[in-house]
Amino acid sequence: MAGGGVMMIPCVTLNTGHAMPVLGLGTGSSRTPEDLAATLLHAVRHLGYRHLDTASLYGTERAVGAAVADAVRSGAVASRADLFVTSKLWIADARPDRVVPALRESLARLGLDYLDLFLVHWPVALAAAGDGSKDLQVEFDMEGVWRGMEECHRLGLARSVGVSNFSAAKMSRLLAFAVVPPAVNQVEMNVGWRQEKLREVCAENGVVVTAFSPLGALGSDWGSNAVMESGVLRDVAARRGKTVAQVALRWLHEQGVGFVARSFNKERLQQNMDIFNWELTEDDKEMIMQIPQRRACNGEFFVSPNGPYKSLEELWDGEI
């Protein structure tokens, strides 16, 4: 238990030597900044959350920064060092000359001196900052962008650097030339999309996989009901006296991955924490392995006849 009787979230040690809490709180939200900051502060102060996950795209960096400042000021944590903050490089900045400036802009919005983790949001780039229309997409300069990420690390602006939405094939390409290897690959992963091939490549190379949409993002425009409406998970949950979400998150934890769950409901935020002191049975796990597999966040927005990715197969290197 941490101070105040809140639960301590287990950590995983990244290849940089830094500890990352395995459960992160996602902040992609349309809530007002004040409301979001208050929810985050509650999660830190009363529930024990220590990992806050944001992105330039989300428009929530200021709210996250306000919550971090409030948490330190109010004594909910002893110092900034007690919190783990992740943000991400958007595709409009995924060009070699824009990586370091983009991170500096994120830090200014957050009011922080450094990020704990900075991720390349997608292996996609725009020719110039714009509205993200497909016509502006250009070939993603993986090596050039990664050299920029390494510079962020060298300058101390990001303690660890990594990627998001990279296929197993793209991870292998990146690892072949990376001087500073990626610490994390944050990808869609849940009982309905287990990412076995990708996890194998990452495990062999000391890269931690973090799952976004661990509950399937039901209700979002691309979300899936494969998790929250799964009959298998309902059966397991009923048998164990747990919620469907708790079973889904516990399964991820037992796979050895991190996960970023988003909720703004205080009761569900608490429930998402209550997964570390029990285990699934072999029967539970065998039932879960029968759940059909389908990628939900397929990135079809980035596919275009004139762009670098002309099909979903190209974007995901056939891993669909």
Side-chain angles (χ1 to χ4, degrees), residues 2-319:
V6 296
M7 172 74 75
M8 279 288 262
I9 296 173
C11 288
V12 60
T13 302
L14 303 179
N15 57 20
T16 49
H18 293 286
M20 180 179 78
V22 296
L23 170 59
L25 182 51
T27 64
S29 167
S30 56
R31 301 167 86 80
T32 67
E34 297 76 18
D35 188 23
L36 177 57
T39 301
L40 297 177
L41 181 60
H42 172 84
V44 170
R45 175 189 278 282
H46 297 291
L47 304 178
Y49 281 83
R50 293 292 180 265
H51 180 178
L52 305 178
D53 178 280
T54 183
S56 170
L57 172 69
Y58 303 163
T60 57
E61 288 173 322
R62 291 185 199 283
V64 170
V68 171
D70 286 347
V72 174
R73 192 166 46 239
S74 66
V77 293
S79 73
R80 151 74 181 99
D82 292 329
L83 294 171
F84 190 101
V85 181
T86 297
S87 195
K88 308 178 191 80
L89 178 81
W90 185 233
I91 63 173
D93 296 311
R95 303 190 308 283
D97 63 325
R98 278 295 301 154
V99 180
V100 173
L103 175 51
R104 291 191 189 278
E105 289 160 18
S106 280
L107 290 171
R109 288 188 291 269
L110 285 155
L112 299 176
D113 296 328
Y114 69 90
L115 284 177
D116 295 279
L117 180 62
F118 189 41
L119 303 176
V120 179
H121 207 149
W122 282 88
V124 175
L126 298 186
D131 62 3
S133 71
K134 294 178 181 180
D135 298 336
L136 289 173
Q137 280 184 42
V138 293
E139 201 70 40
F140 175 65
D141 179 359
M142 186 188 290
E143 184 164 0
V145 168
W146 192 251
R147 296 296 173 230
M149 298 294 284
E150 291 177 332
E151 181 69 359
C152 292
H153 179 67
R154 191 186 68 76
L155 292 169
L157 301 175
R159 291 192 163 176
S160 301
V161 287
V163 296
S164 181
N165 296 299
F166 272 46
S167 65
K170 287 184 178 63
M171 285 305 294
S172 296
R173 268 182 59 205
L174 173 57
L175 286 158
F177 62 71
V179 178
V180 177
V184 168
N185 186 7
Q186 186 181 120
V187 294
E188 177 190 358
M189 181 181 163
N190 52 55
V191 295
W193 188 245
R194 293 192 298 264
Q195 291 278 19
E196 278 137 348
K197 183 177 180 181
L198 175 72
R199 282 193 281 145
E200 197 174 311
V201 170
C202 288
E204 285 167 2
N205 291 280
V207 180
V208 171
V209 171
T210 298
F212 72 75
S213 302
L215 304 179
L218 185 61
S220 72
D221 53 3
W222 52 265
S224 155
N225 65 357
V227 181
M228 296 307 290
E229 295 178 3
S230 162
V232 168
L233 291 193
R234 281 183 185 152
D235 289 349
V236 174
R239 204 166 61 234
R240 304 304 304 280
K242 305 294 180 185
T243 67
V244 166
Q246 285 172 330
V247 172
L249 295 178
R250 179 68 205 183
W251 178 83
L252 283 166
H253 184 52
E254 292 187 14
Q255 303 306 303
V257 304
F259 38 98
V260 173
R262 188 184 69 185
S263 178
F264 303 105
N265 173 296
K266 290 176 181 175
E267 189 178 340
R268 285 198 293 272
L269 281 168
Q270 176 64 61
Q271 289 171 354
N272 290 351
M273 288 281 289
D274 295 338
I275 62 164
F276 298 115
N277 57 359
W278 54 280
E279 293 181 1
L280 294 166
T281 67
E282 289 305 315
D283 280 355
D284 295 338
K285 288 183 275 196
E286 280 178 27
M287 287 172 66
I288 288 168
M289 289 299 283
Q290 307 308 312
I291 293 173
Q293 296 294 292
R294 184 179 71 83
R295 189 188 289 279
C297 183
N298 63 18
E300 60 196 13
F301 184 77
F302 301 127
V303 171
S304 159
N306 305 315
Y309 299 117
K310 294 176 173 52
S311 67
L312 289 175
E313 283 76 11
E314 287 185 8
L315 177 61
W316 297 112
D317 302 297
E319 296 162 34

